[in-house]
Amino acid sequence: MKKLIPILSVFVVIAIIITIFLSMSEQKKMVVIYSGNHEKKPIDITLNHFQDTQCGMTITTKENSAQAVSPDGKTWFFDDVGCMALWFKDIDFKDEATIWVYSHDTNKYIDGRTAWYSRISKTPMSYGFGAYEKKKDGFIDFNQMLLYMLRGENLTDPYVKQKLLGK
């Protein structure tokens, strides 16, 4: 009986922890995928209620966020354009996807395929790709951003960071 009490105590503690986590997840009800966006427009997200599909982070600001809409109206959310790029490489509907990115210069969602990207912006996951509606010197297009991100040539690479920022 003395050997059974510690084991039962551990199981009770584990059961309590599991119950707490399950009740917390039910209360928060994070949105990762939104269905029914047949107009393929950007969704007005509620901060701290939507979660990045790729990295799992809670979206706490619209700045640097992105959304991808499939042909059937499902919408995925990202806290960083770099996360969207990593997710984008594995989808089957690349050519049909509608991409929305939050613009630094106009403070609204714009077409991600026609946006221009800085490589040195401060972003949640530190990839550095900030979206802009108007082109400036040194900005790159959507396809270049995807290529740099998939190669790992972003601010998370110390060599690239040194080259781009001199730090």
Side-chain angles (χ1 to χ4, degrees):
M1 185 66 178
K2 288 183 179 181
K3 292 182 180 181
L4 214 56
I5 291 176
I7 294 172
L8 286 174
S9 298
V10 169
F11 281 119
V12 169
V13 169
I14 291 172
I16 291 171
I17 291 171
I18 290 172
T19 303
I20 291 170
F21 277 110
L22 289 176
S23 68
M24 286 172 57
S25 68
E26 285 298 315
Q27 291 171 356
K28 210 165 190 185
K29 295 190 184 200
M30 299 297 284
V31 176
V32 179
I33 300 173
Y34 176 87
S35 296
N37 185 6
H38 300 292
E39 293 181 15
K40 298 179 180 70
K41 300 286 185 192
I43 301 298
D44 186 23
I45 64 172
T46 304
L47 300 180
N48 300 308
H49 185 65
F50 284 67
Q51 187 174 357
D52 187 303
T53 302
Q54 179 66 27
C55 72
M57 297 293 292
T58 300
I59 299 174
T60 59
T61 178
K62 288 182 184 180
E63 188 174 88
N64 297 302
S65 68
Q67 300 180 22
V69 187
S70 67
D72 66 359
K74 288 183 181 170
T75 305
W76 289 263
F77 304 93
F78 308 91
D79 68 338
D80 191 301
V81 170
C83 289
M84 185 275 304
L86 292 172
W87 172 86
F88 191 78
K89 72 177 171 55
D90 293 326
I91 63 169
D92 296 331
F93 52 91
K94 284 181 187 64
D95 295 334
E96 297 85 30
T98 302
I99 306 296
W100 297 104
V101 292
Y102 199 79
S103 169
H104 282 249
D105 56 349
T106 57
N107 296 317
K108 64 181 181 181
Y109 282 103
I110 61 172
D111 183 339
R113 294 180 191 275
T114 62
W116 296 98
Y117 298 89
S118 163
R119 294 185 66 198
I120 58 171
S121 294
K122 184 175 179 173
T123 65
M125 298 304 292
S126 300
Y127 293 123
F129 297 106
Y132 291 82
E133 194 164 10
K134 295 171 183 67
K135 184 178 183 181
K136 293 182 183 177
D137 286 341
F139 283 9
I140 59 175
D141 66 22
F142 181 74
N143 290 323
Q144 288 174 305
M145 179 275 297
L146 288 175
L147 184 62
Y148 282 132
M149 188 59 206
L150 297 180
R151 284 183 184 167
E153 296 175 28
N154 57 65
L155 292 183
T156 63
D157 179 316
Y159 175 75
V160 172
K161 186 174 185 174
Q162 170 71 31
K163 183 178 171 188
L164 293 175
L165 298 177
K167 293 182 181 178

Short mmCIF file of all heavy atoms in Angstrom, two decimals, residues 54 84-92 94 146 150:
data_model
loop_
_atom_site.label_atom_id
_atom_site.label_comp_id
_atom_site.label_asym_id
_atom_site.label_seq_id
_atom_site.Cartn_x
_atom_site.Cartn_y
_atom_site.Cartn_z
N GLN A 54 1.59 28.07 -39.22
CA GLN A 54 2.90 27.47 -39.37
C GLN A 54 3.62 27.30 -38.03
O GLN A 54 4.06 26.20 -37.70
CB GLN A 54 3.77 28.32 -40.32
CG GLN A 54 5.17 27.81 -40.54
CD GLN A 54 5.25 26.48 -41.26
OE1 GLN A 54 4.36 26.13 -42.02
NE2 GLN A 54 6.30 25.73 -41.00
N MET A 84 4.28 32.35 -43.52
CA MET A 84 3.42 32.07 -44.67
C MET A 84 4.24 31.44 -45.79
O MET A 84 3.81 30.49 -46.43
CB MET A 84 2.74 33.37 -45.15
CG MET A 84 1.73 33.18 -46.26
SD MET A 84 2.42 33.17 -47.94
CE MET A 84 3.27 34.71 -48.00
N ALA A 85 5.44 31.95 -46.03
CA ALA A 85 6.30 31.41 -47.09
C ALA A 85 6.67 29.96 -46.82
O ALA A 85 6.67 29.13 -47.74
CB ALA A 85 7.56 32.27 -47.24
N LEU A 86 6.99 29.62 -45.58
CA LEU A 86 7.32 28.23 -45.24
C LEU A 86 6.13 27.31 -45.44
O LEU A 86 6.26 26.20 -45.94
CB LEU A 86 7.80 28.15 -43.78
CG LEU A 86 9.14 28.81 -43.48
CD1 LEU A 86 9.41 28.82 -41.98
CD2 LEU A 86 10.26 28.11 -44.24
N TRP A 87 4.94 27.77 -45.06
CA TRP A 87 3.72 27.00 -45.24
C TRP A 87 3.39 26.87 -46.73
O TRP A 87 3.00 25.81 -47.20
CB TRP A 87 2.58 27.69 -44.49
CG TRP A 87 1.23 27.13 -44.73
CD1 TRP A 87 0.65 26.09 -44.07
CD2 TRP A 87 0.26 27.58 -45.67
NE1 TRP A 87 -0.62 25.87 -44.56
CE2 TRP A 87 -0.88 26.78 -45.54
CE3 TRP A 87 0.25 28.60 -46.62
CZ2 TRP A 87 -2.02 26.95 -46.32
CZ3 TRP A 87 -0.88 28.78 -47.40
CH2 TRP A 87 -2.00 27.96 -47.24
N PHE A 88 3.58 27.95 -47.47
CA PHE A 88 3.22 28.04 -48.88
C PHE A 88 3.93 26.98 -49.73
O PHE A 88 3.35 26.45 -50.68
CB PHE A 88 3.58 29.45 -49.39
CG PHE A 88 3.05 29.79 -50.74
CD1 PHE A 88 1.72 30.15 -50.91
CD2 PHE A 88 3.88 29.79 -51.85
CE1 PHE A 88 1.23 30.49 -52.16
CE2 PHE A 88 3.40 30.13 -53.10
CZ PHE A 88 2.07 30.48 -53.25
N LYS A 89 5.15 26.64 -49.38
CA LYS A 89 5.92 25.69 -50.19
C LYS A 89 5.29 24.30 -50.24
O LYS A 89 5.52 23.55 -51.18
CB LYS A 89 7.36 25.60 -49.70
CG LYS A 89 7.55 24.88 -48.39
CD LYS A 89 9.01 24.76 -48.01
CE LYS A 89 9.24 24.26 -46.64
NZ LYS A 89 8.66 23.02 -46.25
N ASP A 90 4.47 23.96 -49.25
CA ASP A 90 3.90 22.61 -49.16
C ASP A 90 2.45 22.49 -49.63
O ASP A 90 1.88 21.41 -49.54
CB ASP A 90 4.00 22.10 -47.72
CG ASP A 90 5.44 21.88 -47.30
OD1 ASP A 90 6.26 21.48 -48.14
OD2 ASP A 90 5.75 22.12 -46.12
N ILE A 91 1.84 23.58 -50.10
CA ILE A 91 0.43 23.49 -50.48
C ILE A 91 0.29 23.09 -51.95
O ILE A 91 1.16 23.37 -52.77
CB ILE A 91 -0.35 24.78 -50.18
CG1 ILE A 91 0.18 25.96 -51.00
CG2 ILE A 91 -0.33 25.08 -48.70
CD1 ILE A 91 -0.70 27.19 -50.93
N ASP A 92 -0.83 22.45 -52.26
CA ASP A 92 -1.08 21.98 -53.63
C ASP A 92 -1.71 23.05 -54.51
O ASP A 92 -1.71 22.92 -55.72
CB ASP A 92 -2.02 20.77 -53.60
CG ASP A 92 -1.40 19.58 -52.89
OD1 ASP A 92 -0.16 19.46 -52.92
OD2 ASP A 92 -2.15 18.78 -52.31
N LYS A 94 -0.92 26.39 -54.89
CA LYS A 94 -0.09 27.60 -54.93
C LYS A 94 -0.60 28.64 -55.92
O LYS A 94 -0.72 29.82 -55.61
CB LYS A 94 1.35 27.26 -55.28
CG LYS A 94 2.16 26.65 -54.20
CD LYS A 94 3.57 26.39 -54.71
CE LYS A 94 4.39 25.64 -53.73
NZ LYS A 94 3.94 24.31 -53.44
N LEU A 146 9.87 34.58 -51.51
CA LEU A 146 9.71 33.14 -51.30
C LEU A 146 11.05 32.41 -51.45
O LEU A 146 11.40 31.56 -50.63
CB LEU A 146 8.71 32.56 -52.30
CG LEU A 146 7.24 32.89 -52.10
CD1 LEU A 146 6.42 32.32 -53.26
CD2 LEU A 146 6.73 32.38 -50.77
N LEU A 150 12.87 30.37 -48.49
CA LEU A 150 13.05 28.92 -48.58
C LEU A 150 14.52 28.51 -48.58
O LEU A 150 14.85 27.40 -48.19
CB LEU A 150 12.33 28.39 -49.81
CG LEU A 150 10.80 28.60 -49.78
CD1 LEU A 150 10.16 28.04 -51.03
CD2 LEU A 150 10.19 27.99 -48.53
#
